[in-house]
Amino acid sequence: MMDRTCPGTVEPILEILDGKWTLLLLFELFNGTRRFGELRRRLQPISPKTLTDRLRLLEEKRIITRTLYPGVPLHVEYELTEGGQALQPIFAAMWTWTQEHGAYLRKETEEIDQKDQEEMG
């Protein structure tokens, strides 16, 4: 049975994970340190402003660190903090759930995509 206070106690992490692109951004960072340009390429069509906003939020919440390397050209690298790495079990649980129970979700998405294509074509 779930504790009735559960929604209130998980609200801080939901605020972080709720933003568009945030889950995909974290997934990229689970695979190692990344530069801004690399994240932008991997997350296309994310805008530079949105990527910057998400990175700042994650840094503010101590989920990632930002390291500035001086020189020419100047570059910045982002990596997960210990707290950020601790989010991996949440992603693993979502992946497991999707593998075990998410087939109907994929089917619904495919049906919607097919219907949209039929209406357009």
Side-chain angles (χ1 to χ4, degrees):
M1 180 169 240
M2 283 291 252
D3 182 343
R4 289 191 178 275
T5 64
C6 183
T9 58
V10 297
E11 195 171 294
I13 190 63
L14 293 178
E15 288 175 4
I16 293 169
L17 298 179
D18 186 43
K20 186 174 180 184
W21 297 104
T22 304
L23 292 174
L24 295 173
L25 175 56
L26 287 171
F27 184 77
E28 282 300 323
L29 292 171
F30 285 139
N31 293 308
T33 302
R34 300 281 189 252
R35 289 184 177 190
F36 184 89
E38 188 177 10
L39 289 168
R40 225 182 124 207
R41 282 189 301 278
R42 292 176 180 264
L43 298 174
Q44 283 186 2
I46 193 170
S47 73
K49 181 189 181 319
T50 299
L51 180 55
T52 299
D53 290 347
R54 296 302 175 267
L55 288 168
R56 284 183 182 157
L57 173 67
L58 292 171
E59 185 180 11
E60 178 185 305
K61 299 295 184 179
R62 300 184 185 149
I63 303 297
I64 64 169
T65 58
R66 176 183 184 267
T67 305
L68 178 66
Y69 293 94
V72 178
L74 180 77
H75 75 271
V76 178
E77 291 183 346
Y78 297 91
E79 65 183 323
L80 292 169
T81 62
E82 186 177 322
Q85 288 287 347
L87 292 170
Q88 280 188 315
I90 295 170
F91 281 71
M94 288 189 297
W95 185 85
T96 299
W97 184 90
T98 303
Q99 297 305 306
E100 294 174 3
H101 307 286
Y104 70 92
L105 296 174
R106 286 188 297 275
K107 183 178 179 192
E108 286 176 4
T109 301
E110 289 170 4
E111 289 172 359
I112 290 169
D113 289 345
Q114 184 177 8
K115 184 179 178 182
D116 287 347
Q117 286 177 358
E118 289 171 2
E119 289 176 0
M120 292 175 72

